Amino acid sequence: GAGVSQSPRYKVAKRGQDVALRCDPISGHVSLFWYQQALGQGPEFLTYFQNEAQLDKSGLPSDRFFAERPEGSVSTLKIQRTQQEDSAVYLCASSLSGTSGEETQYFGPGTRLLVL
Amino acid sequence: SQKIEQNSEALNIQEGKTATLTCNYTNYSPAYLQWYRQDPGRGPVFLLLIRENEKEKRKERLKVTFDTTLKQSLFHITASQPADSATYLCAPCIDYKLSFGAGTTVTVRA
């Protein structure tokens, strides 16, 4: 079966541009997570969905970051008016139910965003 | 605030030896701790999970310990192989939320 897929794999944006990053989770997975990974660092939690409900957005760094999952499957992370400090790899992960720390999270390959 | 620290130095070891990685955390009490492997240009891949009431967990050549008093987990790769070369991330978890360390890069020389 297919794993988590993300697109685009690479994105170069000019400062001030809006970008949209897509995540296709594993079919049937209820929970979806977005992480930001800076160079040389571990992934940092951004936001969490259970089906279409965004239950936690405490990690979103500013109001320029917005995530949605309208039908409970595909998710989009949007960054408005990109800044150079937004340059990072954005990882998406899904899990079967995601309600406890016992669940494995399955990660996509990430989208590498470079803001010039 | 919560803090997770892994070996700050990269680990270079000879094939066949055991690699031991350290993960220390402060200011919280996770019920579980997960370890992931990450290769360059790829997302993390789950390896092992250990619960707070478990002292040790094994899977093939991998062994994880979890000491909630010391707030520390150790991750061992025994009989290491060049294919084990990667970055290893520890992730203490509370409820659904994983908090990752910066990772330790392991290189196994043939």
Side-chain angles (χ1 to χ4, degrees), chain A residues 9 33 35 37 40-43 45 48 56 58 91 98 100-105 107-109, chain B residues 32 34 36 38 41-46 49 51 89 93-98 100-103:
Chain A
R9 290 295 314 277
F33 305 81
Y35 294 86
Q37 187 171 25
Q41 300 300 312
F45 171 83
Y48 161 57
D56 186 342
S58 62
L91 293 162
S100 91
E102 281 204 88
E103 286 234 336
T104 299
Q105 292 189 18
F107 283 81
Chain B
Y32 311 96
Q34 299 190 20
Y36 284 76
Q38 188 171 27
R42 300 194 173 208
V45 173
F46 173 79
L49 175 146
R51 298 175 182 82
L89 300 160
C93 27
I94 295 179
D95 296 328
Y96 54 82
K97 194 179 278 190
L98 296 179
F100 285 90

Side-chain angles (χ1 to χ4, degrees), chain B residues 19-39:
Chain B
T20 298
L21 284 61
T22 306
C23 175
N24 295 297
Y25 57 92
T26 53
N27 295 330
Y28 68 132
S29 301
Y32 311 96
L33 195 143
Q34 299 190 20
W35 283 87
Y36 284 76
R37 168 185 172 139
Q38 188 171 27
D39 291 281

Side-chain angles (χ1 to χ4, degrees), chain A:
Chain A
V4 177
S5 61
Q6 293 185 244
S7 61
R9 290 295 314 277
Y10 303 92
K11 177 71 181 175
V12 179
K14 290 184 181 174
R15 190 161 54 94
Q17 220 174 353
D18 296 350
V19 298
L21 313 180
R22 177 187 167 109
C23 172
D24 279 86
I26 293 173
S27 177
H29 277 196
V30 168
S31 292
L32 186 145
F33 305 81
W34 283 99
Y35 294 86
Q36 181 189 59
Q37 187 171 25
L39 196 61
Q41 300 300 312
E44 293 232 4
F45 171 83
L46 293 178
T47 187
Y48 161 57
F49 290 86
Q50 206 171 82
N51 294 308
E52 68 280 0
Q54 189 175 21
L55 299 186
D56 186 342
K57 52 182 182 178
S58 62
L60 295 177
S62 77
D63 58 9
R64 296 185 296 103
F65 286 71
F66 171 76
E68 59 183 6
R69 194 186 184 198
E71 294 173 5
S73 55
V74 169
S75 177
T76 305
L77 176 68
K78 296 179 180 176
I79 309 173
Q80 296 176 322
R81 304 181 305 281
T82 51
Q83 303 293 316
Q84 286 186 320
E85 62 262 27
D86 300 334
S87 296
V89 175
Y90 291 86
L91 293 162
C92 173
S94 69
S95 67
L96 199 53
S97 77
T99 53
S100 91
E102 281 204 88
E103 286 234 336
T104 299
Q105 292 189 18
Y106 297 86
F107 283 81
T111 294
R112 184 176 297 273
L113 173 65
L114 177 62
V115 181
L116 302 175

